[in-house]
Amino acid sequence: MDSLAAMATFVRVVDAGSLSAAARSLPSSLTSVSRQISELEQHFGTRLLLRTTRRLALTEDGRILYERAKSILTEFKEIESTLSRRDHQPTGRLRVSAPTLIGRLLIAPLLDDFLHRFPSLSVDLLLVDRVVDLVEEDIHLSLRVGHLPDSRLVARKIADLQMVLCASPAYLARRGTPQSPADLEHHDCLVFSGTPGAAVWRFKLDQDAEYRIRLYGRIWVNSLDALVTMAKHGAGIVRVPSWQVGADLAGGHLQRILRRHEPAPTPLHLLFQPSRLPSTKTRAFADFLVDHWLKRDPFVAGVDGHEEN
């Protein structure tokens, strides 16, 4: 059995939805397609597909093989493409994911320059404020904020993000300036989340001690842009990345509060698919971002902004 060919056929069957549709698209005979699936099942000693007169479904083992086979086949194509290209210029389609705000403000404006440098590349930019599954969603490169509990991920740290608390001068004049994290319980806090309920904000106390406060904010929004706009109009206190509000702090539209209690910076990583050879196009985009941000670090903006207390 040609294992690679059999896996390619298996993936085609799942994507097509039936053996006959896969046979037509390959093109190949229905008998050949059916035989390769049977050989795969015999090789792994497990049922991969559930066949009925109406539909075709994956077993649990079939789902595992499907996801891994797609990754293996993609990696093989990238190796083949890299070794066969004489000029080693990146080609094809690159799938990138990023948090919405970072993607919109810091990545999207750079894509024209990137594509001008690499005219044989195309980019799919997925902007989502959730953790993506690089393998299942076929993402080549992902920007992720926070510490990485999964050691299997191939990561490259590119920045530290400082979260800051700020409010408008009008709000602080009306409600007073918090002197400690506990004072926030008596203030209007604007919370970033897509699921209203209780939020936990973390703060630094003396030395290594950490203070956590559970907030039941009156306003919950799944957009940092909207929260900052409301904060500037006096709706309450917002917790956002310092780089996002650098101009507003410098211009006096917002004032930074509780600076001495700010938590340690949060890392920002570039993530690559585990167990995958970084392709030429993936390395090109990663190097492009890092080189651009080294010249002008966009993540330090606002760190030295004015503080009210």
Side-chain angles (χ1 to χ4, degrees):
M1 179 184 68
D2 185 337
S3 298
L4 195 63
M7 284 194 295
T9 298
F10 175 70
V11 169
R12 184 66 65 91
V13 168
V14 176
D15 291 340
S18 70
L19 299 177
S20 57
R24 289 193 298 270
S25 65
L26 282 172
S28 181
S29 68
L30 179 59
T31 300
S32 176
V33 170
S34 180
R35 185 184 68 253
Q36 289 185 80
I37 300 301
S38 296
E39 289 176 346
L40 270 181
E41 292 180 329
Q42 292 174 12
H43 177 74
F44 290 110
T46 186
R47 178 68 66 88
L48 301 174
L49 297 173
L50 298 176
R51 307 175 185 85
T52 67
T53 55
R54 286 188 164 187
R55 66 186 184 92
L56 179 149
L58 284 169
T59 65
E60 182 178 353
D61 289 337
R63 170 62 62 184
I64 294 173
L65 177 61
Y66 174 71
E67 293 174 355
R68 298 306 303 150
K70 285 190 68 174
S71 177
I72 291 170
L73 292 169
T74 300
E75 183 173 346
F76 181 80
K77 289 179 181 178
E78 290 173 352
I79 294 172
E80 188 178 51
S81 178
T82 299
L83 295 180
S84 63
R85 286 195 303 271
R86 293 181 179 178
D87 55 3
H88 295 282
Q89 289 297 310
T91 62
R93 183 166 292 276
L94 178 68
R95 286 180 56 78
V96 180
S97 74
T100 301
L101 191 67
I102 292 177
R104 183 175 66 82
L105 296 180
L106 301 182
I107 295 181
L110 305 179
L111 290 184
D112 181 62
D113 185 17
F114 176 73
L115 294 176
H116 180 74
R117 296 188 190 185
F118 303 100
S120 297
L121 271 179
S122 300
V123 175
D124 293 341
L125 180 59
L126 177 67
L127 303 183
V128 289
D129 294 312
R130 61 174 174 82
V131 175
V132 300
D133 187 314
L134 275 69
V135 175
E136 185 172 347
E137 300 181 55
D138 195 26
I139 302 295
H140 300 103
L141 186 67
S142 177
L143 276 83
R144 186 175 300 176
V145 177
H147 298 281
L148 304 176
D150 191 344
S151 60
R152 298 175 304 163
L153 295 172
V154 181
R156 179 177 179 181
K157 182 181 174 181
I158 57 175
D160 283 311
L161 308 184
Q162 180 63 60
M163 300 298 291
V164 299
L165 259 69
C166 49
S168 70
Y171 175 88
L172 296 176
R174 185 175 74 251
R175 298 290 301 276
T177 301
Q179 300 300 311
S180 71
D183 292 343
L184 295 175
E185 296 180 2
H186 310 292
H187 281 267
D188 295 328
C189 295
L190 313 177
V191 182
F192 173 70
S193 177
T195 55
V200 176
W201 285 1
R202 294 173 173 82
F203 297 91
K204 179 180 65 177
L205 294 181
D206 297 332
Q207 297 179 347
D208 297 330
E210 183 182 70
Y211 180 84
R212 300 185 182 190
I213 181 172
R214 186 174 295 272
L215 298 170
Y216 298 87
R218 296 180 63 192
I219 298 179
W220 293 65
V221 186
N222 64 343
S223 166
L224 288 172
D225 282 337
L227 287 174
V228 170
T229 298
M230 286 185 284
K232 289 193 292 185
H233 284 81
I237 296 173
V238 70
R239 180 175 179 264
V240 291
S242 63
W243 66 268
Q244 184 189 359
V245 291
D248 292 315
L249 292 172
H253 305 294
L254 292 172
Q255 292 180 0
R256 192 171 175 181
I257 61 176
L258 298 179
R259 179 168 181 173
R260 64 179 177 272
H261 296 296
E262 289 172 356
T266 302
L268 174 66
H269 290 95
L270 281 172
L271 301 184
F272 307 88
Q273 286 196 10
S275 303
R276 168 177 282 193
L277 177 69
S279 64
T280 305
K281 61 186 177 184
T282 303
R283 291 196 304 270
F285 192 75
D287 291 342
F288 172 82
L289 283 184
V290 172
D291 289 345
H292 182 87
W293 288 342
L294 281 177
K295 295 175 182 176
R296 176 188 171 275
D297 188 346
F299 301 108
V300 298
V303 170
D304 295 321
H306 173 68
E307 182 175 13
E308 178 67 17
N309 62 324

